[in-house]
Amino acid sequence: MASDNGYSFVCEGDGAGRSIVDVLKATGHHGTFLALMRRYDPDGLDILANAALADKTVWAPTDAAFAALGDALTSLSDAEVKAVLGYHISPPRRSPTGAYPIVTPQLLLDAGEMEHRTRTGVLTNSDQRTRTTSDQGVLRIEGKTIQSTAWRAEAGSVFAIDGVIMDVTPPPALKWLWNRLIRIVLYEDIRFVIYATVPSVAIGMLIAFCFF
C-alpha cells in the first residue's frame, strides 16, 4: 500500500490478475454501481471484468452516494442512466508512443487540475470530459470528493467518490475540434487518416493522368 499525501493507493502485487470488477467487489462499497452497470451497460461491465482490457480509471460512487440520490435515476431513460454511468469511466491516458500512466492519487495531486475522457463521451462522440482538481490537498472530480483510498487493478485504477456525477457539459465546438485533431494526428486514429487519404490521393492522381 502506497501513501500519497494522505491518500492510500492499494496495489497488492501491482494488481496482477485483478480486473476493475474484482476491485469493486472487494471494496464492499460499490454493489450499486456494479448492479447498475450490469443492467444498463453490460458491454461496459464485460470490459471492466477483463483484467487485460480494463485499462481504465473508474471513479466509482459508493453505495451511500447512490442512496443519497433517492429516486433521481428512476426518472431517467435507460440511455440516460447509461450515460451517467459512463461519466464515471475514463479511457486510458495514451501518449503518442502508446504508453500511458496508471492514474494514482499522486498523479492527480501533482497535476492540480486534469481533464479525463469519459466512456459516454467516446460512445456518443461528444468528447464529454470530467475534471479533477486538487484544492489544499483534497481531490475532487466534478465537485465530488475523492475518498482517501484508491485501488490498482492489473491495467487500471479505482477511486471511490462520495457523489454521483449526473451531468457533464460537452466542450465548446472549437475545443471539441481541437481535441479531435490532436487525437487524429497523435494517436490511434492516424491509421484511419492514412487509410482514407492514401487511396483518395492515388485515385485523384489516376484521374488526372487519364484525363489531363
Side-chain angles (χ1 to χ4, degrees):
M1 178 183 292
S3 181
D4 296 318
N5 295 333
Y7 287 87
S8 297
F9 189 51
V10 180
C11 47
E12 298 175 3
D14 287 334
R18 303 186 76 193
S19 71
I20 296 290
V21 170
D22 291 333
V23 172
L24 289 169
K25 287 180 177 178
T27 69
H29 299 290
H30 296 97
T32 304
F33 181 74
L34 287 169
L36 290 171
M37 286 292 296
R38 187 175 300 110
R39 177 176 178 181
Y40 295 102
D41 190 4
D43 291 340
L45 185 64
D46 286 345
I47 293 172
L48 298 182
N50 187 316
L53 292 179
D55 51 351
K56 314 290 185 285
T57 305
V58 174
W59 319 92
T62 61
D63 293 337
F66 279 109
L69 281 181
D71 297 330
L73 292 180
T74 61
S75 63
L76 303 181
S77 67
D78 288 4
E80 288 171 330
V81 175
K82 180 179 178 179
V84 167
L85 296 172
Y87 298 145
H88 299 83
I89 302 171
S90 298
R93 303 182 64 83
R94 298 199 181 281
S95 73
T97 61
Y100 61 92
I102 288 178
V103 177
T104 67
Q106 190 63 56
L107 181 70
L108 299 178
L109 289 165
D110 290 344
E113 183 174 315
M114 183 181 290
E115 285 190 342
H116 308 268
R117 297 172 67 222
T118 65
R119 175 168 169 79
T120 299
V122 172
L123 293 178
T124 62
N125 200 34
S126 64
D127 201 30
Q128 288 170 289
R129 300 183 180 215
T130 52
R131 183 170 61 99
T132 51
T133 59
S134 174
D135 181 16
Q136 297 183 346
V138 177
L139 293 173
R140 293 183 175 86
I141 179 166
E142 294 296 312
K144 314 303 181 185
T145 301
I146 296 174
Q147 297 186 346
S148 59
T149 301
W151 300 265
R152 175 170 177 171
E154 178 169 312
S157 53
V158 174
F159 292 81
I161 61 176
D162 71 350
V164 180
I165 302 168
M166 295 296 290
D167 192 24
V168 176
T169 303
L174 286 178
K175 187 172 184 180
W176 178 91
L177 180 60
W178 175 252
N179 290 336
R180 185 62 178 160
L181 287 173
I182 289 176
R183 290 198 62 77
I184 287 174
V185 172
L186 296 180
Y187 301 103
E188 67 272 14
D189 288 346
I190 191 63
R191 292 172 297 179
F192 171 79
V193 175
I194 293 172
Y195 297 154
T197 303
V198 171
S200 298
V201 171
I203 292 172
M205 292 178 65
L206 180 61
I207 292 174
F209 177 79
C210 292
F211 294 97
F212 299 97

